[in-house]
Every structure is written in C-alpha cells, then in structure tokens.
Amino acid sequence: MNRGENMVKVNKINKHFGKLHVLKGVSLEVSKGEVVTIIGPSGSGKSTLLRSINNLETVQNGMIEIEGNKIADEKSGKKIHIPEKEIRFNCKKVGMVFQNFNLFPHKTILENIIEAPIVVNKEARDVVIKRAKSLLQKVGLSSKANVYPFQLSGGQKQRVAIARALAMEPDIMLFDEPTSALDPELTGEVLNVIKELAKENMTMIIVTHEMAFAREVSDRIVFMDEGEIIEEAAPDEFFNNPEHERVKGFLNKML
C-alpha cells in the first residue's frame, strides 16, 4: 500500500559481526503511514535490520535513507563518510522501542519521558512535561507519572517506553519484539497501544512473533531468513498463500 513518499529506504545493505554475515544485501522501502511487520526465525537478522535503520548498528555497505536523507551510503562499492552530526540529526526522526524497556531505574516515569526532549532537543521543560502527561494518558498510565519503573508491571513499563519514544515526536517508530519479554496476559495492553498508533497513520516497522497481531495491524509482512528478505506480501496473501517453502514451514510451526 503506497501512501506517498518513502519514509525509509534501505538498499542492498550488508552487515557482518566478525565472520558472521548477518544482513546479506537487504533492501526495503517503507512509505509514509505504512505499517510493515518483519517476521522470521530467531537469528535471521530482523533486529539487526531494525538497529541499522536507526544507526545503532553501522552497516559495512549499502544505502540507508530516512525521509530522503542518507545515514549510510556507498559509491562504486566503497562506503561514503557521512558526518556523525548529520546522521544523528536524521535519526532523531526515528523512535525505537526495545524488548527490554531500557528505562532509567533511578528516575520516575515522568522523568524518564521528559529526559531526551530536554537534553537532546533542548526543549523547554514545561512544554515537555505537558506533552509527557498527554502521552501517559494516551498509553493509559496517567496515574503513574511519579512512580519508579520497579513499581510497574512489564506491560506498563513497555507502555512507558512507547510514550518515551513518542515524546521525541518521531515520524517513524521501530518496535523490536516489544512483547517478547512480557507474560502473555500483559501482551495485549502493549499491542493495543501499537494498534492505536497504526490508526493514527504512524509509519512503523515492527519485529514480532505475534502472528495474529501482525496479520491485524500490518499493511505488509516481510519474512526474513538467514540475513535475507525471502518474501513480502499483504497479510492475507502472506498467511493464506505463502509462496516460499521456508515461509510455509515457519507458519506451520507458528500458527
């Protein structure tokens, strides 16, 4: 589903960890307002792809573009140097939610949310506090502003992590298995927040093992295996009529 301009464009990126070739010439484009879900077996490169889009991992070669601005590029097979400041500026448009929340344990929930906009974006504290309170309301945690992370359940912590990422007002959200560290009964409350974001046309790339959720929320499903994108299709087509044997085998195990 193409809703306009490319928000993320990845072209033939390769990533090695020592001798391990984790991403093998991966290309992906995500349009404005599109929700793309990446699924596949563990170790297939899904999280590394996500982290490369946010420059948490640097790729050895290939091109990555955020809203038309390059954060990685090459010419004639040689990597082009892009100034760190430029990369950081472009990556500010990308919010990321990790599987393990990564909240500051010594700060209250409100302090966790306001930290980056004040420190990184140099925004006025009162403006950011107002936004943070409204985001806490959005994720159903208004009453938790002044408590500490240890006082929250896993599902609540993950909802705070989503609010914290949204506080930077990103144009693109990346979710790296946002429910994999949660008990099954807490998974729904996190997925509901992500579904609401999808309704608001937030551009999202989600790595998940939750197949029913992927089917419901995605415009497109991308299947990765052994560092490559093997298949991509609209959810109904992907789940009802997969083309590739590896995809069929994976779905038989998961569904």
Side-chain angles (χ1 to χ4, degrees):
M1 185 187 298
N2 196 321
R3 304 187 193 170
E5 75 265 33
N6 271 332
M7 298 295 273
V8 176
K9 187 173 182 181
V10 173
N11 191 38
K12 295 182 178 163
I13 61 169
N14 284 280
K15 174 68 183 173
H16 298 261
F17 291 112
K19 286 184 178 164
L20 196 61
H21 196 174
V22 187
L23 296 177
K24 302 172 183 170
V26 172
S27 297
L28 178 70
E29 293 186 12
V30 181
S31 302
K32 189 176 176 65
E34 193 178 21
V35 179
V36 173
T37 300
I38 305 175
I39 65 173
S42 293
S44 57
K46 306 181 299 292
S47 293
T48 305
L49 173 57
L50 224 52
R51 291 172 67 85
S52 300
I53 290 168
N54 208 8
N55 199 50
L56 293 173
E57 298 289 353
T58 37
V59 294
Q60 270 82 19
N61 55 14
M63 188 275 290
I64 302 172
E65 214 172 65
I66 307 291
E67 292 183 44
N69 300 303
K70 290 182 170 60
I71 64 162
D73 200 10
E74 65 173 14
K75 193 174 181 182
S76 321
K78 280 202 166 54
K79 194 167 174 170
I80 294 172
H81 173 74
I82 297 169
E84 190 61 36
K85 197 173 168 185
E86 215 172 290
I87 293 173
R88 272 206 309 272
F89 178 77
N90 291 320
C91 286
K92 276 204 282 192
K93 296 165 185 164
V94 184
M96 181 137 180
V97 175
F98 302 87
Q99 36 188 306
N100 294 323
F101 330 128
N102 295 5
L103 299 175
F104 296 118
H106 60 291
K107 290 181 184 288
T108 66
I109 297 315
L110 187 70
E111 287 166 345
N112 263 283
I113 296 172
I114 66 175
E115 173 88 356
I118 291 172
V119 174
V120 179
N121 284 356
K122 308 284 186 276
E123 290 186 67
R125 189 180 174 86
D126 54 342
V127 173
V128 180
I129 287 176
K130 194 173 167 190
R131 186 190 312 146
K133 286 181 174 170
S134 135
L135 285 167
L136 279 173
Q137 192 173 356
K138 184 188 185 91
V139 299
L141 292 170
S142 289
S143 63
K144 303 293 185 186
N146 298 315
V147 306
Y148 288 86
F150 77 89
Q151 295 169 282
L152 300 183
S153 70
Q156 289 171 327
K157 284 180 196 167
Q158 193 58 294
R159 284 185 281 154
V160 172
I162 295 172
R164 182 182 58 180
L166 291 171
M168 289 292 281
E169 302 190 306
D171 296 336
I172 301 151
M173 283 287 282
L174 308 178
F175 291 90
D176 188 7
E177 303 204 21
T179 58
S180 68
L182 302 180
D183 296 331
E185 69 271 19
L186 300 175
T187 296
E189 63 191 54
V190 173
L191 297 182
N192 285 337
V193 172
I194 301 173
K195 284 177 200 169
E196 284 306 311
L197 290 175
K199 283 183 197 158
E200 293 165 17
N201 288 331
M202 170 63 81
T203 306
M204 294 191 276
I205 307 176
I206 305 165
V207 169
T208 185
H209 287 300
E210 303 284 340
M211 295 298 127
F213 166 70
R215 186 172 199 151
E216 182 185 347
V217 81
S218 311
D219 295 305
R220 186 158 40 110
I221 308 269
V222 170
F223 183 86
M224 283 187 79
D225 195 15
E226 294 183 1
E228 297 177 298
I229 290 177
I230 302 291
E231 191 167 329
E232 50 183 302
D236 284 352
E237 179 70 17
F238 182 88
F239 285 105
N240 297 333
N241 196 14
E243 286 180 11
H244 206 286
E245 287 308 317
R246 272 192 272 182
V247 178
K248 288 175 189 168
F250 178 81
L251 291 176
N252 284 340
K253 276 193 218 123
M254 295 297 284
L255 298 173

